[in-house]
Amino acid sequence: MRLILLAVLSLFFSLSVIAQNEEDITGRKAPNFKLVNLDGKYVELNNISGSGPILLSFWATWCKPCLEEMSEYNKIYEQYKDKGFVLLAVSTDTEKSVAKVKPYIKSKDYKFAVVLDTNGEVARKYYAQQMPYTVLIDKNGNIVYSHLGYMKGDEQKVEKLISELLEK
């Protein structure tokens, strides 16, 4: 009997920890932030809101799925950038690896904006505890989608959502 009770308590505790880690931020107002881009200039979320959907892609140079996802997001960005879509890649690289960000972006010839969140402050605001983490914000500043991780094909759902938001 004691073993069963212990197993039930363990399961309950595990589920509550998992639930806390997977914070659903959909439907909330996107928290504003101000970060430095690769040119050393500040980018503030509230200053780029309003023209169309904004995709925040939290990533790091050491994260292989992040790099695959960014390649796919770049294709989406190129397709929709002239319609008001903004892709903001938020690098979560720390002081140890942040020097790799600019050379990587340049080597891939990505044209979307990249900002540096070296202390993880913005990642915490958005509950981005692991990478890659995607947040889609509508033109009114509301979070309409968030997703943790990346598997080939995930970008198709994101592209569909972006297309729908641009039609509104």
Side-chain angles (χ1 to χ4, degrees), residues 55 68-69 71-77 79-80 134 136 145 147 149-165:
L55 183 72
E68 291 175 34
E69 180 182 65
S71 174
E72 296 302 322
Y73 282 171
N74 184 57
K75 294 172 191 171
I76 296 170
Y77 172 71
Q79 184 175 349
Y80 295 103
T134 299
L136 185 60
Y145 174 79
H147 181 75
Y150 175 72
M151 287 181 19
K152 188 81 173 141
D154 286 349
E155 71 280 357
Q156 293 169 358
K157 180 174 184 175
V158 173
E159 182 177 1
K160 183 178 186 290
L161 289 168
I162 291 166
S163 178
E164 289 170 2
L165 289 171

Side-chain angles (χ1 to χ4, degrees), residues 26-38:
T26 304
R28 296 183 184 178
K29 195 77 169 164
N32 188 38
F33 60 84
K34 191 181 212 181
L35 291 172
V36 175
N37 68 13
L38 297 181

Side-chain angles (χ1 to χ4, degrees), residues 59 61-62 93 96-106:
W59 69 287
T61 55
W62 48 262
D93 283 271
K96 290 181 179 180
S97 59
V98 74
K100 297 176 183 177
V101 174
K102 191 171 185 176
Y104 175 76
I105 295 297
K106 196 171 184 172

Side-chain angles (χ1 to χ4, degrees), residues 64-143:
K64 297 285 186 228
C66 298
L67 305 182
E68 291 175 34
E69 180 182 65
M70 288 217 339
S71 174
E72 296 302 322
Y73 282 171
N74 184 57
K75 294 172 191 171
I76 296 170
Y77 172 71
E78 290 296 330
Q79 184 175 349
Y80 295 103
K81 67 181 179 183
D82 295 333
K83 297 178 182 176
F85 169 63
V86 175
L87 171 57
L88 191 57
V90 182
S91 169
T92 59
D93 283 271
T94 63
E95 294 296 332
K96 290 181 179 180
S97 59
V98 74
K100 297 176 183 177
V101 174
K102 191 171 185 176
Y104 175 76
I105 295 297
K106 196 171 184 172
S107 75
K108 296 294 183 180
D109 200 30
Y110 291 150
K111 302 296 185 215
F112 51 78
V114 178
V115 291
L116 306 174
D117 186 25
T118 54
N119 65 4
E121 182 180 335
V122 175
R124 280 189 295 281
K125 282 184 179 184
Y126 283 86
Y127 300 96
Q129 298 172 357
Q130 296 174 335
M131 302 308 127
Y133 186 70
T134 299
V135 176
L136 185 60
I137 304 167
D138 69 13
K139 66 180 179 183
N140 299 317
N142 299 310
I143 298 170

